[in-house]
Amino acid sequence: AEGIAVEGMESLAPVLVDDMELLLDVLPKGAMAVVCDPERVRTRASDLVATSQEFLQASWAATAGGGEAPIDVGAASLWSIADVRDRARELDMMWWSVSPFAADEELDDDTLKLGMHAPETYRGDTAKALADTKGWLADGWRAVYVTEGHGPAARTVEVLGGEGIAARLDTDLAEISPSLVHVACGSIEHGFVDPALRLAVLTETDLSGQKASGREGARMPARRRKTIDPLTLEPGDYIVHEQHGVGRYIEMVQRTVQGATREYLVVEYAPAKRGQPGDRLYIPTDQLEQITKYVGGEAPTLHRLGGADWTKTKARAKKAVKEIAADLIKLYSARMAAPGHAFGADTPWQRELEDAFPYAETPDQLTTIAEVKEDMEKSVPMDRLICGDVGYGKTEIAVRAAFKAVQDGKQVAVLVPTTLLVQQHFGTFSERYAQFPVNVKALSRFQTDTEAKAVLEGLREGSVDIVIGTHRLFSSETKFKDLGLVIVDEEQRFGVEHKEQLKKLRANVDVLTMSATPIPRTLEMAVTGIREMSTITTPPEERHPVLTFVGPYEEKQIGAAIRRELLREG
């Protein structure tokens, strides 16, 4: 009645509605029922009906023990599949089942056996897929390639044309001609091959071995101010107002002023006179851009409304910023003396790669990508730190930055701390670049000596565009023909000696550093502006926070570490 959704509330529908209707009853005359995978449907329906009955029986058992009598949901809105099929017969409705299996007794006049089968999963083996396609077309078959986005579709036509295969970008697929590949946009997960129809349909999943998720909805805005979310505020939280300084959040209230009802945040400031209650400021929710959460260390002193304290604090901060700026001018003038490579603007291939990203980018991701590209296009060597939690999309930024570097004929080194990460990144980069002529190689102890030798030779002669490796990349035998970008993942896990070797590269090579937990020195350099920093704080859709348990032992260790830092004034 209060509009609150609760788990299992659909089971109460028969109590609230006098006469429940079956879906079949409301379908128009001549409609047809098609049951996909009847075995799963039958099992699921049986489980739901059984669960509903168990709950009802448990309720009656509780009543017998002195509990309240349950609401009788005996006429549950859940039917078995057999009952539904009987109802379809009464309505004289056609009933089809689509199943991968058929018992021998079912192979009668009413059973239609389809000759179609799943295509081979090529798992990135483009040459095999193209060879099969050429074979189908030579035999007069019709062939359709289906991709999620327009970018990958246009790129597929380009790849097919380059291999001498006739291909056309077809939006409506009104007529499928033989001896020609029709490339269309759609969201079919798996394709099929039908010898009887002489038709082959392949999807991105069949070609790459991984599903490309749909890109529903428009892209999120690239930039937005970090406004406060009033729903995350707890009474007593400290906030900072642009004009009035530090106050304490009290509550959110509704007030009607001149006939208009609006929501306000009530913020308490220091009292104007000693002994009086604190002054209160009502901030309308449409002015949230003027406030931010207080992120200082200890509990701050509240400012007075209209007082001079806040003005003095801002003046001191401005002075400190000017001092840091003076140091930065010296630093940047030194960096300018060693100019790096200014990468060109985005190519059409860059846009196609980004269109093929199977998820909606978060606002922070888009902002960071724009900042990285801007840095790469400057003649000053990039030195940017990307700080973001695990799973917040740092790797995709690396994928795009590396691709941009390769487009300018430069090589890219991706440095990771473990062999497992080498394998993971190698899989991700290879999959994202599958449609493009980019040579990605891995270098770790998982490679044999022969493989490692071939990779090192490829780096020297320039045939390897991107190498993903562990600290083995630091060895003296690693020589690059034209290194343009170094990407360091989980920077905090590399030792001082590795960092020193990396600094030799930094003179005129762009460096992109990624970390979920940057070490204090790196973080201080980023915060003071010596290094540029981008933070990714927006979690992707469906991403839940990781719960971390800290036991008494870990708590003591953390406490000891903090005390040790304080003792040495760290």
Side-chain angles (χ1 to χ4, degrees):
E2 293 176 8
I4 301 166
V6 292
E7 194 78 30
M9 65 182 186
E10 68 281 351
S11 59
L12 296 175
V15 183
L16 303 172
V17 181
D18 295 334
D19 188 19
M20 292 290 288
E21 285 183 300
L22 194 66
L23 176 63
L24 302 185
D25 293 334
V26 295
L27 290 175
K29 194 164 179 59
M32 182 194 303
V34 181
V35 185
C36 297
D37 208 341
E39 281 307 313
R40 286 180 67 185
V41 173
R42 191 178 292 117
T43 308
R44 178 78 177 126
S46 167
D47 287 349
L48 285 170
V49 172
T51 305
S52 181
Q53 286 300 318
E54 278 175 29
F55 275 120
L56 189 60
Q57 283 162 12
S59 301
W60 282 115
T63 308
E68 288 186 17
I71 297 171
D72 186 3
V73 287
S77 54
L78 304 165
W79 285 21
S80 71
I81 196 75
D83 292 339
V84 178
R85 186 166 186 176
D86 289 342
R87 181 63 182 149
R89 284 202 186 97
E90 289 171 22
L91 296 169
D92 211 17
M93 183 181 284
M94 287 183 74
W95 183 278
W96 286 85
S97 297
V98 182
S99 173
F101 320 105
D104 292 336
E105 63 269 17
E106 285 184 20
L107 289 171
D108 51 29
D109 295 341
D110 293 337
T111 304
L112 183 66
K113 196 163 185 197
L114 302 173
M116 62 179 64
H117 59 85
E120 186 177 331
T121 300
Y122 299 101
R123 297 191 181 279
D125 187 353
T126 314
K128 179 78 171 70
L130 292 171
D132 285 355
T133 305
K134 283 179 181 174
W136 290 325
L137 297 182
D139 290 344
W141 279 46
R142 294 171 297 166
V144 179
Y145 276 33
V146 183
T147 68
E148 287 278 350
H150 186 272
R155 175 70 190 137
T156 302
V157 171
E158 202 177 305
V159 170
L160 290 167
E163 292 292 323
I165 299 171
R168 185 173 76 206
L169 192 59
D170 206 339
T171 49
D172 55 2
L173 284 180
E175 189 179 335
I176 306 173
S177 313
S179 308
L180 171 74
V181 177
H182 295 258
V183 183
C185 296
S187 54
I188 305 174
E189 190 170 337
H190 295 286
F192 61 89
V193 176
D194 191 334
L197 291 173
R198 297 169 75 77
L199 171 67
V201 176
L202 296 184
T203 68
E204 285 176 282
T205 313
D206 304 319
L207 295 168
S208 68
Q210 292 194 16
K211 183 183 185 311
S213 303
R215 300 174 59 86
E216 293 174 7
R219 285 194 175 187
M220 292 184 181
R223 290 181 181 273
R224 66 169 186 184
R225 191 185 162 99
K226 283 186 167 52
T227 53
I228 201 163
D229 181 359
L231 299 177
T232 62
L233 287 173
E234 298 282 340
D237 283 355
Y238 292 100
I239 63 106
V240 184
H241 193 284
E242 215 171 274
Q243 309 299 328
H244 307 291
V246 179
R248 188 190 292 113
Y249 170 71
I250 303 298
E251 60 182 344
M252 191 185 282
V253 296
Q254 275 192 352
R255 292 184 74 179
T256 305
V257 180
Q258 295 179 346
T261 304
R262 295 164 83 186
E263 286 191 324
Y264 295 84
L265 268 65
V266 182
V267 181
E268 186 177 67
Y269 284 86
K273 290 180 182 175
R274 196 170 290 171
Q276 298 287 325
D279 291 341
R280 291 195 170 189
L281 180 69
Y282 287 78
I283 304 167
T285 49
D286 57 2
Q287 292 179 17
L288 289 178
E289 73 280 354
Q290 293 195 20
I291 60 170
T292 52
K293 237 179 177 177
Y294 177 78
V295 290
E298 300 161 13
T301 307
L302 298 184
H303 289 119
R304 282 191 301 178
L305 285 175
D309 296 349
W310 177 235
T311 313
K312 287 176 185 171
T313 305
K314 284 202 286 188
R316 282 198 303 272
K318 278 180 183 171
K319 188 183 174 188
V321 168
K322 280 180 181 172
E323 287 170 6
I324 292 171
D327 293 339
L328 284 175
I329 289 165
K330 291 174 192 169
L331 172 84
Y332 275 98
S333 59
R335 284 187 72 191
M336 293 278 186
H341 175 76
F343 289 91
D346 283 0
T347 62
W349 277 8
Q350 182 84 29
R351 285 190 287 276
E352 284 177 20
L353 173 91
E354 294 179 6
D355 281 344
F357 184 52
Y359 310 100
E361 295 94 338
T362 65
D364 288 347
Q365 254 186 320
L366 288 169
T367 304
T368 304
I369 289 161
E371 288 168 347
V372 169
K373 286 180 180 177
E374 196 178 323
D375 281 359
M376 289 178 75
E377 288 169 17
K378 290 175 183 170
S379 58
V380 184
M382 172 172 75
D383 192 3
R384 181 172 285 276
L385 166 69
I386 296 174
C387 189
D389 201 354
V390 177
Y392 275 39
K394 297 191 293 293
T395 306
E396 176 60 20
I397 292 157
V399 166
R400 296 184 186 190
F403 194 76
K404 187 176 179 71
V406 171
Q407 293 299 290
D408 258 29
K410 292 284 184 179
Q411 290 172 301
V412 180
V414 182
L415 184 62
V416 295
T418 62
T419 48
L420 179 64
L421 264 174
V422 171
Q423 297 305 112
Q424 286 178 344
H425 280 352
F426 179 69
T428 304
F429 277 68
S430 301
E431 184 203 336
R432 294 286 280 114
Y433 298 154
Q435 298 278 337
F436 302 93
V438 177
N439 190 9
V440 184
K441 293 291 180 187
L443 188 64
S444 70
R445 60 187 171 83
F446 280 179
Q447 274 68 49
T448 61
D449 289 343
T450 312
E451 288 171 339
K453 193 177 176 184
V455 172
L456 293 170
E457 182 59 36
L459 290 172
R460 266 193 297 273
E461 65 182 26
S463 61
V464 173
D465 299 308
I466 297 173
V467 62
I468 301 166
T470 54
H471 52 270
R472 190 169 181 177
L473 285 175
F474 287 126
S475 68
S476 55
E477 58 188 3
T478 308
K479 299 279 190 295
F480 292 87
K481 184 184 180 185
D482 191 3
L483 183 65
L485 175 66
V486 174
I487 297 169
V488 186
D489 196 12
E490 296 203 32
E491 165 265 0
Q492 77 283 0
R493 290 175 66 176
F494 289 98
V496 174
E497 70 281 4
H498 293 144
K499 300 263 177 66
E500 289 307 312
Q501 286 172 287
L502 194 61
K503 279 175 188 171
K504 292 174 188 171
L505 297 172
R506 275 191 191 186
N508 52 8
V509 172
D510 286 19
V511 179
L512 186 64
T513 306
M514 304 188 294
S515 179
T517 52
I519 58 172
R521 185 178 63 236
T522 304
L523 197 57
E524 186 195 10
M525 288 169 75
V527 170
T528 54
I530 293 169
R531 299 173 72 176
E532 299 294 335
M533 179 167 82
S534 300
T535 52
I536 303 180
T537 55
T538 324
E541 287 281 333
E542 310 267 324
R543 205 279 191 182
H544 303 293
V546 178
L547 296 176
T548 307
F549 173 72
V550 180
Y553 175 69
E554 292 89 349
E555 207 169 81
K556 281 179 187 170
Q557 281 189 312
I558 294 164
I562 292 170
R563 279 192 293 277
R564 195 161 56 244
E565 285 297 308
L566 291 172
L567 281 169
R568 69 174 193 86
E569 296 183 345

